[in-house]
Amino acid sequence: GISSVEDVHILLQNGADKVSINSAAVRNPTLIARLADTFGCQCLVLAIDAKQSAKNDTWKVYSNGGKIETELDLFMWAKQAEQLGAGEILFTSMNHDGTKNGFANKALRQLSDTVNIPIIASGGAGCIDDFYTTFTDGKADAALAASIFHFKEIAIPDLKKQLQLRGITIRL
């Protein structure tokens, strides 16, 4: 629901280090630049919900919690957002979200090759190997998961130890 400089100011005043925007930025891309100019790009994360088309392999950006398809291409939108001042991209593959079949590593790799800011992978984690491959094959800088932690399918300390043993730099 963040849609203004005032919204971000309130959140930062109340202890947030970073904020994430999505639909408001899709509707008004200049919001990214205003927020970056006011607060610095280090605290601005652009969340992108995108879905891969089954018929032509393109990735389209969705807004409103993944309900409304836009005309935006995932990779062009990410590059534009970086140029406007986004400090990180949180990419959720709607095709992978909730499947526990792994992250969208091909798209993550392409995103990583497209922009020069950190990419956070979201959508699809089901096992420890999914995290490892998203860092290696997907070139993600971070990874997000929910249900596997909420339902205690993977313990976070175990995940961190396994990733460290496999050569991934991680804070324990």
Side-chain angles (χ1 to χ4, degrees):
I2 297 170
S3 60
S4 69
V5 170
E6 182 179 274
D7 291 342
V8 173
H9 178 75
I10 291 167
L11 291 167
L12 295 175
Q13 288 292 102
N14 283 287
D17 290 324
K18 295 179 184 238
V19 295
S20 175
I21 60 171
N22 187 337
S23 297
V26 168
R27 286 188 295 275
N28 179 14
T30 60
L31 177 62
I32 298 169
R34 286 200 324 267
L35 294 175
D37 289 345
T38 305
F39 305 107
C41 58
Q42 80 288 342
C43 77
L44 183 57
V45 179
L46 179 71
I48 303 176
D49 297 331
K51 191 174 192 180
Q52 185 178 27
S53 168
K55 56 184 166 186
N56 62 8
D57 255 6
T58 60
W59 284 86
K60 288 293 183 184
V61 173
Y62 282 68
S63 67
N64 295 69
K67 295 178 186 140
I68 300 173
E69 181 179 352
T70 72
E71 292 301 314
L72 295 171
D73 171 81
L74 166 63
F75 307 102
M76 290 191 295
W77 175 230
K79 189 64 179 174
Q80 180 184 1
E82 176 187 34
Q83 291 167 343
L84 288 168
E88 297 179 41
I89 302 286
L90 168 59
F91 164 54
T92 300
S93 166
M94 294 171 54
N95 303 78
H96 293 78
D97 199 28
T99 66
K100 298 184 184 179
N101 291 325
F103 295 96
N105 290 322
K106 184 177 175 188
L108 284 161
R109 178 179 286 276
Q110 188 174 344
L111 265 178
S112 181
D113 291 341
T114 300
V115 298
N116 296 303
I117 56 177
I119 305 294
I120 306 162
S122 175
C127 66
I128 290 173
D129 280 345
D130 292 338
F131 289 91
Y132 178 76
T133 57
T134 207
F135 294 131
T136 57
D137 298 346
K139 294 173 58 176
D141 297 285
L144 179 153
S147 66
I148 60 170
F149 300 133
H150 295 308
F151 297 116
K152 300 186 186 324
E153 295 168 35
I154 297 174
I156 294 172
D158 294 341
L159 171 62
K160 288 181 166 192
K161 287 176 194 164
Q162 288 300 313
L163 290 172
Q164 186 181 54
L165 288 171
R166 294 175 79 178
I168 303 296
T169 302
I170 192 160
R171 187 175 51 229
L172 293 178

